[in-house]
Amino acid sequence: MTELEGRVAIVTGGARGQGAAESRRLGREGAAVLVCDVLVPEGETFVAELSAEGVDARFLPLDVTDPEAWAQAVEEVRGWKGRLDILVNNAGIINRSTVSATEPEAWERVLKVNLTGAFLGIRAAVPLMEETGGGAIVNISSNSAFSGHYDPAYTASKWGLRGLTRSAAMEYAARGIRVNAVCPGLVVTALNAASPHLQPMIGMTPMGRSGTPEEIAELVLFLASDRSAFITGEDFVIDGGFTAGASYRRVAVETGIY
Ligand code: NAD
């Protein structure tokens, strides 16, 4: 028997990158997965791959900023499996522009997708989770939610996700629903593959490399499973040691201490 046999999951932004790895990992552990994304052909192709691998998966087009689409997604899993156990709020976008150079519309779009999208997802998912015995929600934040950053809209949205995570955890703990956040460091995906900051970041990462989507998915699986049954309201940094002290490590390297 696999760990998530009989469980049902929704993963947003699941068509590619980390969301795809998370969908695959949960699915291989026995969960039925509703993969949601705005990338429709990519999502359909990915779900066909998952099905060929023996994963019980469906694709549904979902824009996380649309409350109506969220209601449809929850109705889809209710009709499909009659329950909902896991929600991974993974969809996210970047802006990579300074405060001065960011137009208000761009600021609002990032907050809407990255933060309001998760808020809408939690609101939509909780009633069915509660009805069918509780569940686990994992919000994908970032290690940029622990410092200032050169993408202020993105960073503000990811700090906001940490606050939403803790607040929702307090509200739903007695109702059998745990809420945690995963805060990855650099993972090279379509989100950032063209970015000039990759090499400087890798160079400053104590482990000397970026993470993989599969490594992030492993932590998501842990937080979605009963192995983390007493953990709620926490954020988990997974970044090869970057947040632990990359700046002091750089000083130590440059001054010959290390
Ligand atoms: P990605 O661009 O490959 O994946 C993001 C997915 O979200 C895409 O499939 C995209 O279509 C989808 N998406 C975007 N807007 C959407 C919307 N409105 N509704 C539904 N889906 C939408 O990038 P990734 O690296 O896999 O990112 C996954 C998550 O991890 C994001 O929240 C990102 O902020 C976070 N993250 C990434 C890194 C990194 O270095 N890659 C680091 C920390 C956190």
Side-chain angles (χ1 to χ4, degrees):
M1 177 117 161
T2 43
E3 196 170 12
L4 299 180
E5 204 66 55
R7 310 275 171 98
V8 181
I10 295 177
V11 179
T12 70
R16 70 181 192 196
Q18 293 175 51
E22 291 151 9
S23 300
R24 177 176 273 121
R25 190 69 190 91
L26 298 176
R28 284 190 175 163
E29 217 49 58
V33 185
L34 186 71
V35 176
C36 299
D37 208 299
V38 286
L39 298 178
V40 178
E42 290 90 337
E44 284 171 347
T45 302
F46 173 61
V47 161
E49 271 173 39
L50 283 185
S51 303
E53 293 167 17
V55 170
D56 191 5
R58 273 190 188 184
F59 176 72
L60 186 75
L62 169 80
D63 181 337
V64 294
T65 67
D66 179 355
E68 289 301 314
W70 268 113
Q72 282 168 18
V74 171
E75 280 318 296
E76 176 86 10
V77 288
R78 185 194 287 279
W80 183 33
K81 299 288 176 186
R83 58 184 300 120
L84 179 59
D85 306 276
I86 298 161
L87 169 65
V88 185
N89 284 311
N90 166 82
I93 57 173
I94 54 174
N95 184 51
R96 203 164 296 129
S97 173
T98 61
V99 172
S100 295
T102 297
E103 294 299 328
E105 295 72 24
W107 170 271
E108 276 165 17
R109 181 71 193 154
V110 173
L111 270 289
K112 203 167 176 186
V113 173
N114 294 4
L115 182 54
T116 307
F119 158 76
L120 293 173
I122 294 169
R123 269 175 60 93
V126 157
L128 182 56
M129 276 187 175
E130 197 177 2
E131 205 180 303
T132 55
I137 297 171
V138 183
N139 297 320
I140 307 300
S141 176
S142 165
N143 73 346
S144 69
F146 292 84
S147 68
H149 195 273
Y150 42 85
D151 187 337
Y154 181 80
T155 296
S157 73
K158 297 299 186 177
W159 276 85
L161 268 178
R162 292 179 61 210
L164 173 64
T165 297
R166 290 181 183 213
S167 304
M170 294 306 103
E171 185 172 342
Y172 301 127
R175 290 150 72 174
I177 297 170
R178 299 182 297 105
V179 190
N180 289 291
V182 166
C183 304
L186 181 65
V187 178
V188 182
T189 63
L191 187 79
N192 54 21
S195 162
H197 76 195
L198 301 186
Q199 282 317 317
M201 270 200 76
I202 290 169
M204 277 188 75
T205 300
M207 290 181 71
R209 65 173 179 88
S210 53
T212 66
E214 290 71 27
E215 287 170 327
I216 308 304
E218 209 56 45
L219 181 54
V220 170
L221 168 63
F222 173 71
L223 292 171
S225 76
D226 293 343
R227 281 183 288 148
S228 58
F230 198 47
I231 300 177
T232 198
E234 273 305 326
D235 28 45
F236 294 85
V237 174
I238 172 167
D239 70 353
F242 193 94
T243 302
S247 49
Y248 280 115
R249 177 180 168 276
R250 183 167 166 180
V251 171
V253 169
E254 285 182 5
T255 56
I257 296 170
Y258 291 167

